[in-house]
Amino acid sequence: MDLGINGRRALVGASSKGLGLGCATALAEAGVDLVMNARGAEALEAAAADLRERYGVSVTTVAADITSEAGRAEVLAAADSPDILVTNAGGPPPGLWSDWDRDDFIAALDANMLTPIALMKACLPGMMDRGWGRVVNITSQSVKAPIPQLGLSNAARTGLTGYVAGTARQVASSGVTINNLLPGIHATDRADALDGPVAQSKGISIDEARAARAATIPANRYGTAAEFGQACAFLCSVHAGFIVGQNLLADGGATNATI
Ligand code: NAP
């Protein structure tokens, strides 16, 4: 399918690996020029070179912490009013409800709520002026059904979801859509980081821990960054212009809900 976004320009945050890279890859495949970001320069440059080579699009890299004001300023300067914004950052650490103090919450809110909000505030005016724009926020299935050990993530992402619900409806008449894409369990470094401690605490191998977790998903497998990226690219396409303020689960059926 022609997504109708060839030649558009996108900013994809936190995109040297995992789900962010999946989104950058699918957008590059659709002919979109990219600004990609991550803290580590080496993996970022390698990912960018690969996309330039495979899809012939322009890719600018900015090695910076997207959750810091200075990092965001660098990334936004390079992106120069993009048509498409995909927000992403690392997820907060797991723990118990009683583990976290104010500073932990502030860090989680900064990364997973206030950073995407700041990026939207910076990018929406240009999109609205031009009468076309797409924003996809990578959030989590945890906004639909809580993941008990990820209380910081549950809290911060739900705050972002509330902001998007109202804002998406304020900008839609300008041809700009904002939606959230909610990953369930995907095979990325983040999933490994969560599976490792489970394997250790249960005295099983990481493969056994993965198989046990996959068995909790109706699809009986982890998602891939590639298929997540294609869903993101569709939401960024010309065909998705009437999809506004939605929270789309990509979780293999894991969230047991009728609607
Ligand atoms: P990942 O494989 O660990 O990749 C994270 C990417 O983000 C890397 O490119 C990393 O590069 C970059 N990054 C992290 N912190 C950053 C920062 N402060 N500034 C700029 N770049 C940053 O993670 P993932 O699995 O793709 O997860 C992406 C998001 O989806 C996370 O918020 C995660 O919590 C959420 N999520 C993931 C899953 C899953 O199963 N994978 C499920 C639900 C939600 P550097 O380290 O070099 O910066």
Side-chain angles (χ1 to χ4, degrees):
M1 184 194 295
D2 178 1
L3 296 183
I5 49 178
N6 185 50
R8 294 279 185 189
R9 294 176 307 112
L11 162 53
V12 187
S15 54
S16 66
K17 297 177 188 169
L19 303 180
L21 178 56
C23 295
T25 304
L27 289 170
E29 189 183 356
V32 174
D33 293 326
L34 298 171
V35 171
M36 294 173 67
N37 150 259
R39 292 164 303 181
E42 201 177 322
L44 180 62
E45 291 307 332
D50 178 50
L51 296 188
R52 284 186 205 110
E53 165 84 21
R54 278 158 69 194
Y55 302 112
V57 293
S58 146
V59 184
T60 304
T61 56
V62 182
D65 182 345
I66 195 84
T67 68
S68 74
E69 211 170 319
R72 276 194 299 281
E74 258 189 86
V75 173
L76 286 166
D80 188 23
S81 195
D83 306 304
I84 295 169
L85 168 66
V86 179
T87 75
N88 186 30
L96 191 62
W97 61 272
S98 52
D99 288 346
W100 305 304
D101 59 24
R102 188 171 191 282
D103 288 344
D104 299 310
F105 278 100
I106 296 296
L109 292 172
D110 257 341
N112 300 113
M113 177 183 170
L114 300 176
T115 289
I117 289 174
L119 291 170
M120 282 187 271
K121 281 183 73 180
C123 296
L124 285 172
M127 295 178 186
M128 293 168 77
D129 284 349
R130 294 189 295 275
W132 196 92
R134 296 284 184 266
V135 179
V136 175
N137 299 296
I138 299 178
T139 65
S140 171
Q141 65 180 5
S142 70
V143 300
K144 293 256 188 186
I147 300 171
Q149 68 276 21
L150 291 180
L152 291 172
S153 171
N154 298 339
R157 296 186 199 278
T158 305
L160 173 64
T161 305
Y163 175 84
V164 165
T167 305
R169 287 161 173 92
Q170 290 179 308
V171 303
S173 65
S174 300
V176 178
T177 69
I178 312 177
N179 292 288
N180 301 320
L181 192 48
L182 285 50
I185 301 166
H186 283 71
T188 66
D189 289 357
R190 166 81 172 167
D192 281 349
L194 295 173
D195 286 341
V198 171
Q200 221 172 10
S201 74
K202 292 191 171 161
I204 56 177
S205 72
I206 192 148
D207 284 342
E208 287 168 325
R210 265 190 214 125
R213 196 141 78 114
T216 67
I217 304 170
N220 197 29
R221 65 174 178 88
Y222 286 13
T224 69
E227 62 196 345
F228 185 87
Q230 294 294 343
C232 174
F234 177 76
L235 287 175
C236 296
S237 76
V238 292
H239 310 299
F242 208 50
I243 301 176
V244 170
Q246 297 303 299
N247 291 280
L248 178 67
L249 274 169
D251 71 346
T255 303
N256 194 29
T258 304
I259 292 180

